[in-house]
Amino acid sequence: MNRKEDPAWQLKTRAIRVGHHPTNEGEHSEPIFTTSSFVFESAEHAAARFSGAEPGNIYARFTNPTTKVFEDRLAALEGGEACVATGSGMAAILSTFMALCSAGDEVVVARQVFGTTSVLFNKYLAKFGLNVKWVDLTDWAQWEAAITDLTCWVFVESPSNPLCEVVDIARLAKLAHTHGAGLIVDNCFCTPILQQPLALGADIVIHSATKYLDGQGRAIGGAVVGNKTQVGEEVRGFLRTCGPTMAPFNAWIFAKGLETLALRMQAHCDHATQVAEFLVNHPQVTHVNFPGLANHPQAEIIARQQSGPGAIVSFAVVGGQAAAWKVINATQMISITANLGDAKTTITHPATTTHGRLTPQQRSEAGIGNGLIRLAIGLEDPIDIIRDLQRGLDNEFLFSMS
Ligand SMILES: *Cc1c(COP(=O)(O)O)cnc(C)c1O
């Protein structure tokens, strides 16, 4: 009944087959174990589990069979030895730094990370004595100056949000390793289907499972993938003691989400490419940021490290905030919400939402203009996504899908 896992399986097969070990009931779909603790056969058995002499479940704060399906499957997709699921993407980042850093340690972080991640470093991790140096993701000279023998960890997202800038992950991993530091990549936008940071030399991958791994905007979750010691022991140990645990029901959603991830990412990329092409050709659009465009400033790095562009597209319209808000308010289908990675296309105005807490100067340094709009392209028919965007744009230009 228990089919054997084959290490030679291709990515798509791993996403569907890894991690499911049916019980005696012979269930074909992964069951949800809603239990907080696990029972032992005897006092001796309990002692063996607690001492670690015998591997196995003890208490669901740190292991649960449903969560393990998700963890084993994601580890197999990212090519990591170990995966630890967490209650959110933010909990994944927090757990990693709490487990692997001490007061006085220095980390180098790209300025273009998720806004809440910046707050985590500046407001909370800083309180415990972590020294954070911020650098521009695309400025190689800044990386070379910032990473020194004092650096413990380097942290990036690539592509970045909302401008879709990228960094050469293999080159950055090499630079970090030269100084005895490790590289952590938040792989949220690409997922392992489009980019595998560990294979490029990174040491740890972070996920907000909330986004594409679920794919339908249903649950909050996160994950850390890496080696047996740093992730399997240290991050797991933090989870065991501090408890930022993923709920088994959410783990089930994410494990099932992984089964369709390859298909969904392919469609997300295809739809986003069609929308980006429409925007590039629209006279009211001054600039389109999308990793799939041939004129992307880092197209050559993208071709080397990503097998697809992803589905985040941002663009600037003539007319600033008023024009951008007009486009957003004219939509009848696209959801005005900050989430991404959903089957439903979403639209946001970064300058007044995700980046609203920055000063105008910080925003302009970050390249977030008042006319910028961010789209996370979903799985609806691209014809309908384009028609919905067209409503608020100057309509002398009418786009026709042939
Ligand atoms: C959403 C997001 C996070 C945070 O994840 P949550 O699941 O919302 O806690 C971290 N990094 C990136 C790139 C994200 O988009």
Side-chain angles (χ1 to χ4, degrees):
M1 194 168 0
N2 213 336
R3 314 294 292 242
K4 218 168 160 245
E5 289 178 9
D6 183 344
W9 275 341
Q10 302 296 308
L11 203 64
K12 284 182 192 170
T13 310
R14 275 179 259 156
I16 293 167
R17 289 290 180 176
V18 168
H20 181 33
H21 307 290
T23 68
N24 289 337
E25 302 295 340
E27 71 279 2
H28 191 211
S29 176
E30 295 73 359
I32 308 174
F33 287 89
T34 52
T35 181
S36 20
S37 72
F38 299 86
V39 178
F40 311 109
E41 284 154 26
S42 62
E44 289 81 356
H45 189 210
R49 284 275 173 92
F50 271 83
S51 73
E54 184 197 290
N57 297 305
I58 298 173
Y59 190 63
R61 189 192 315 113
F62 44 103
T63 64
N64 173 286
T66 308
T67 310
K68 192 168 185 303
V69 176
F70 168 65
E71 291 172 333
D72 289 353
R73 207 164 269 181
L74 184 60
L77 292 178
E78 289 286 4
E81 292 173 351
C83 172
V84 173
T86 55
S88 68
M90 292 318 301
I93 303 172
L94 174 70
S95 302
T96 302
F97 285 91
M98 289 300 279
L100 301 176
C101 288
S102 306
D105 281 357
E106 188 179 286
V107 297
V108 180
V109 183
R111 218 169 264 127
Q112 293 91 330
V113 292
F114 183 63
T116 312
T117 304
S118 315
V119 179
L120 173 63
F121 281 112
N122 281 334
K123 186 165 177 193
Y124 295 102
L125 290 169
K127 275 210 295 199
F128 297 93
L130 196 70
N131 298 318
V132 186
K133 278 192 197 167
W134 296 94
V135 306
D136 188 283
L137 184 71
T138 61
D139 187 338
W140 191 254
Q142 283 189 34
W143 285 117
E144 285 194 318
I147 300 173
T148 68
D149 290 351
L150 294 174
T151 308
C152 298
W153 292 99
V154 176
F155 183 91
V156 295
E157 281 167 32
S158 180
S160 71
N161 179 19
L163 298 179
C164 300
E165 293 167 300
V166 301
V167 70
D168 187 332
I169 292 173
R171 191 175 176 204
L172 190 58
K174 219 174 270 169
L175 177 64
H177 294 159
T178 309
H179 291 282
L183 175 63
I184 303 175
V185 178
D186 182 331
N187 202 24
C188 177
F189 280 21
C190 277
T191 83
I193 302 302
L194 305 179
Q195 174 173 275
Q196 291 159 6
L198 299 181
L200 294 164
D203 302 276
I204 290 178
V205 166
I206 299 279
H207 272 289
S208 166
T210 313
K211 315 293 168 52
Y212 292 101
L213 305 192
D214 169 21
Q216 295 180 60
R218 297 167 293 190
I220 300 281
V224 187
V225 188
N227 70 25
K228 275 188 196 138
T229 348
Q230 288 168 337
V231 174
E233 286 172 25
E234 299 300 331
V235 177
R236 175 76 64 197
F238 180 82
L239 195 87
R240 178 171 183 156
T241 304
C242 303
T245 309
M246 178 181 282
F249 180 74
N250 289 0
W252 178 82
I253 290 176
F254 299 130
K256 301 305 280 179
L258 290 180
E259 294 182 4
T260 56
L261 184 64
L263 266 180
R264 287 187 286 106
M265 290 314 290
Q266 214 166 32
H268 276 294
C269 290
D270 171 36
H271 295 188
T273 301
Q274 293 184 47
V275 173
E277 274 164 17
F278 155 73
L279 292 168
V280 162
N281 289 313
H282 198 289
Q284 201 195 339
V285 174
T286 54
H287 194 75
V288 180
N289 306 296
F290 179 58
L293 296 175
N295 69 351
H296 188 289
Q298 296 144 307
E300 177 254 338
I301 299 172
I302 293 166
R304 243 184 299 132
Q305 71 189 19
Q306 292 180 218
S307 62
I312 306 299
V313 180
S314 65
F315 64 102
V317 290
V318 176
Q321 179 175 321
W325 280 22
K326 184 176 163 218
V327 173
I328 294 170
N329 289 334
T331 56
Q332 293 176 7
M333 176 192 79
I334 298 174
S335 315
I336 306 173
T337 175
N339 198 26
L340 61 95
D342 197 307
K344 299 184 176 85
T345 298
T346 64
I347 191 165
T348 44
H349 184 243
T352 52
T353 59
T354 51
H355 294 69
R357 280 175 295 180
L358 302 184
T359 63
Q361 161 139 14
Q362 285 171 322
R363 265 200 300 278
S364 99
E365 277 169 15
I368 314 293
N370 290 332
L372 190 76
I373 294 172
R374 188 200 73 185
L375 295 166
I377 303 300
L379 302 179
E380 306 96 335
D381 195 304
I383 293 175
D384 295 319
I385 301 170
I386 290 168
R387 276 178 50 224
D388 209 34
L389 289 171
Q390 230 165 1
R391 294 182 214 281
L393 286 166
D394 290 347
N395 53 19
E396 54 268 30
F397 173 77
L398 278 180
F399 181 73
S400 63
M401 303 278 298
S402 47

